[in-house]
């Protein structure tokens, strides 16, 4: 029995690598997605950054009230109906002092719009939807910073998303998000705080597709102190995107899953099996403190666009084990979080599963000397095999640097995961 199960685990690892290997590397997917998004906005990015003042609005409750962006009716020459307003989304991204926050957003349905306006963003349909977001940039980084103001509504995979409208078709020039002190495109002065509007356009089909996944609102990374984006901040901020009060209540009533890519990229829907948070068990690897903070076990169902990734797991279901680690780098060496892996020992000597980087967060990729950070490791199992396992011991490391050189005398840290 023991020998048979070891072979099964080995085949499982091979199947996982084969399944996920059919897709592009995680970083490549992100770059492809960002390239597509940024290319669509490039021709008009300068015009889209000419804000002066932000319109004052009392906002609206779900499905009624004042229109946040009256210019939609002016530009579209159509009828505008408020679908949903979120007055306190709580979307914030702090990029080393350069802070971006979405203060409010509103979804409206537009009918009977001018065919000229509808030709490109709405694929010649004269009905569609516009999302307007009121965004504040607060540059507390202590120096002038560059930021391209890239945001997206994420659908079913890394390259399936709706970017903000780079040409700002429905936003008046005086309402767009731009520095009031700097004239250079995408540059914000030290200490400057500005608020403006940006918009997204959705066809009827795209709006309906929101209901088939758990859509996310993404504030992209990229803040830098130079126009070439050298050494820019890496790591997007991802949030649940609400499109109705009903859906908001449903999402908020569900368990809060760790932000692995199964969750943030809508690769799969999760159903919690068991979780344990606030564990607080700490081990030392040289001058690196490693703390087991929590673990979640969840049954996953791949979304329609991602089913091919997991086809080698069969028809009996898949279980994801996501482990959260807290790291404190007290050494003088930079630790590569993207290259440092873990393995899970099953029932002492029954078998071993490797952490699956393809479904783990892309960032942060490194942990500088004196810095603290988080690392999530994900292990995937066939559901029928997972039910046979009694215990898991996770071995973190050996830790490596950006050149894959092993650090701290190749020491590792081992934690027994609660079940």
């Amino acid at each position: 029995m023991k020998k048979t199960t070891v072979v099964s685990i080995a085949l499982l690892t091979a199947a996982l690598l084969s399944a996920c290997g059919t897709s592009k590397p995680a970083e490549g997917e992100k770059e492809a997605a960002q390239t597509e998004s940024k290319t669509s906005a490039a021709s008009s990015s300068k015009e889209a950054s000419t804000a002066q003042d932000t319109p004052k609005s009392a906002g609206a409750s779900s499905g009624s009230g004042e229109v946040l962006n009256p210019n939609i009716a002016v530009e579209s020459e159509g009828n505008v109906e408020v679908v949903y307003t979120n007055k306190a989304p709580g979307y914030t991204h702090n990029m080393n002092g350069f802070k971006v926050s979405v203060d409010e957003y509103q979804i409206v349905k537009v009918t009977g719009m001018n065919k000229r306006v509808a030709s490109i963003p709405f694929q010649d349909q004269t009905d569609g939807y516009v999302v307007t977001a009121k965004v504040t940039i607060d540059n507390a980084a202590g120096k002038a910073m560059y930021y391209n103001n890239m945001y997206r509504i994420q659908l079913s995979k890394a390259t399936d998303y709706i970017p903000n409208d780079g040409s700002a078709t429905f936003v008046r020039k005086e309402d767009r998000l731009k520095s009031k002190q700097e004239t250079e495109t995408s540059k914000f002065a030290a200490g400057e705080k500005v608020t403006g509007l940006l918009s997204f356009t959705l066809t009827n089909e795209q709006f309906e597709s929101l209901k088939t996944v758990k859509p996310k609102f993404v504030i992209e990374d990229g803040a830098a102190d130079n126009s070439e984006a050298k050494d820019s901040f890496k790591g997007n901020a991802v949030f649940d995107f609400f499109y109705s009060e009903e859906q908001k209540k449903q999402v908020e009533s569900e368990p809060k899953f760790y932000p692995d890519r199964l969750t943030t990229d809508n690769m799969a829907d999760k159903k919690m099996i068991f979780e344990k948070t606030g564990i607080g068990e700490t081990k030392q690897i040289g001058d690196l403190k490693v703390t087991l903070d929590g673990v979640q076990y969840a049954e996953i169902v791949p979304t329609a666009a991602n089913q091919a990734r997991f086809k080698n797991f069969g028809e009996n279901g898949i279980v994801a084990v996501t482990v959260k680690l807290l790291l404190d780098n007290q050494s003088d060496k930079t630790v590569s979080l993207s290259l440092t892996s873990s393995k899970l020992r099953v029932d002492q000597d029954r078998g071993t599963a490797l952490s699956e980087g393809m479904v783990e967060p892309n960032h942060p990729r490194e942990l500088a000397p004196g810095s603290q950070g988080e690392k999530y490791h994900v292990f995937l199992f066939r559901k029928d095999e997972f039910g046979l396992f009694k215990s898991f011991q996770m071995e973190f490391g050996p830790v490596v640097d950006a050149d894959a050189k092993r650090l701290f005398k190749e020491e590792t840290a081992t934690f027994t995961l609660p079940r």
Side-chain angles (χ1 to χ4, degrees), residues 163-176:
N164 61 294
D165 180 9
S167 58
T169 305
F170 295 106
V171 180
R172 297 187 308 166
K173 288 184 178 181
E174 57 267 34
D175 295 336
R176 297 173 189 171

Side-chain angles (χ1 to χ4, degrees), residues 262-337:
L262 295 167
T263 300
T264 61
D265 288 10
N266 282 325
M267 289 185 181
D269 293 323
K270 287 183 175 182
K271 180 180 179 181
M272 190 75 81
I273 299 172
F274 170 78
E275 72 172 335
K276 178 71 172 179
T277 60
I279 298 172
E281 182 182 354
T282 299
K283 300 288 181 69
Q284 195 83 26
I285 301 179
D287 291 326
L288 178 70
K289 281 188 177 181
V290 184
T291 300
L292 173 63
D293 186 66
V295 60
Q296 293 182 341
Y297 300 84
E299 184 176 355
I300 69 167
V301 178
T303 52
N306 291 280
Q307 288 178 355
R309 286 177 181 264
F310 304 92
K311 63 182 180 181
N312 290 336
F313 284 90
E315 303 296 327
N316 295 322
I318 307 170
V319 171
V321 179
T322 304
V323 181
K324 179 182 179 181
L325 299 173
L326 304 178
L327 304 176
D328 183 358
N329 185 7
Q330 299 174 337
S331 75
D332 59 355
K333 302 181 185 300
T334 297
V335 171
S336 173
L337 299 182

Side-chain angles (χ1 to χ4, degrees), residues 242-259:
F242 304 125
Y243 54 81
S244 72
E245 197 61 36
E246 250 186 343
Q247 176 245 1
K248 180 175 184 287
K249 290 178 181 178
Q250 178 183 343
V251 172
E252 290 182 336
S253 68
E254 295 173 348
K256 300 303 178 187
F257 292 106
Y258 287 148

Side-chain angles (χ1 to χ4, degrees), residues 155-374:
L155 298 176
S156 60
K157 54 185 179 180
T159 55
D160 184 15
Y161 64 91
I162 301 162
N164 61 294
D165 180 9
S167 58
T169 305
F170 295 106
V171 180
R172 297 187 308 166
K173 288 184 178 181
E174 57 267 34
D175 295 336
R176 297 173 189 171
L177 189 56
K178 168 183 186 289
S179 171
K180 295 181 180 181
Q181 301 178 34
E182 301 284 356
T183 57
E184 191 175 350
T185 302
S186 302
K187 187 177 182 180
F188 296 86
E192 184 175 20
K193 184 176 182 178
V194 292
T195 300
L197 301 181
L198 54 90
S199 63
F200 304 78
T201 57
L202 289 76
T203 63
N204 292 321
E205 291 76 15
Q206 286 175 320
F207 184 78
E208 289 302 311
S209 73
L210 296 177
K211 303 173 184 179
T212 66
V213 296
K214 295 179 179 177
K216 303 293 187 292
F217 190 98
V218 181
I219 303 176
E220 293 194 8
D221 57 12
D225 60 4
N226 61 91
S227 58
E228 292 79 26
K230 182 180 178 181
D231 298 323
S232 62
F233 185 94
K234 301 297 184 185
N236 299 329
V238 183
F239 310 90
D240 289 313
F241 178 72
F242 304 125
Y243 54 81
S244 72
E245 197 61 36
E246 250 186 343
Q247 176 245 1
K248 180 175 184 287
K249 290 178 181 178
Q250 178 183 343
V251 172
E252 290 182 336
S253 68
E254 295 173 348
K256 300 303 178 187
F257 292 106
Y258 287 148
D260 55 33
R261 295 185 64 221
L262 295 167
T263 300
T264 61
D265 288 10
N266 282 325
M267 289 185 181
D269 293 323
K270 287 183 175 182
K271 180 180 179 181
M272 190 75 81
I273 299 172
F274 170 78
E275 72 172 335
K276 178 71 172 179
T277 60
I279 298 172
E281 182 182 354
T282 299
K283 300 288 181 69
Q284 195 83 26
I285 301 179
D287 291 326
L288 178 70
K289 281 188 177 181
V290 184
T291 300
L292 173 63
D293 186 66
V295 60
Q296 293 182 341
Y297 300 84
E299 184 176 355
I300 69 167
V301 178
T303 52
N306 291 280
Q307 288 178 355
R309 286 177 181 264
F310 304 92
K311 63 182 180 181
N312 290 336
F313 284 90
E315 303 296 327
N316 295 322
I318 307 170
V319 171
V321 179
T322 304
V323 181
K324 179 182 179 181
L325 299 173
L326 304 178
L327 304 176
D328 183 358
N329 185 7
Q330 299 174 337
S331 75
D332 59 355
K333 302 181 185 300
T334 297
V335 171
S336 173
L337 299 182
S338 60
L339 297 179
T340 298
S341 61
S342 287
K343 55 187 175 184
L344 209 59
R345 299 191 186 281
V346 179
D347 294 345
Q348 299 296 326
D349 60 354
R350 176 176 278 193
T352 301
L354 302 178
S355 59
E356 180 43 61
M358 292 298 296
V359 294
E360 294 175 354
N362 298 330
H363 296 285
R365 302 187 67 81
E366 295 181 339
L367 191 63
S371 299
Q372 294 80 42
E374 298 176 349

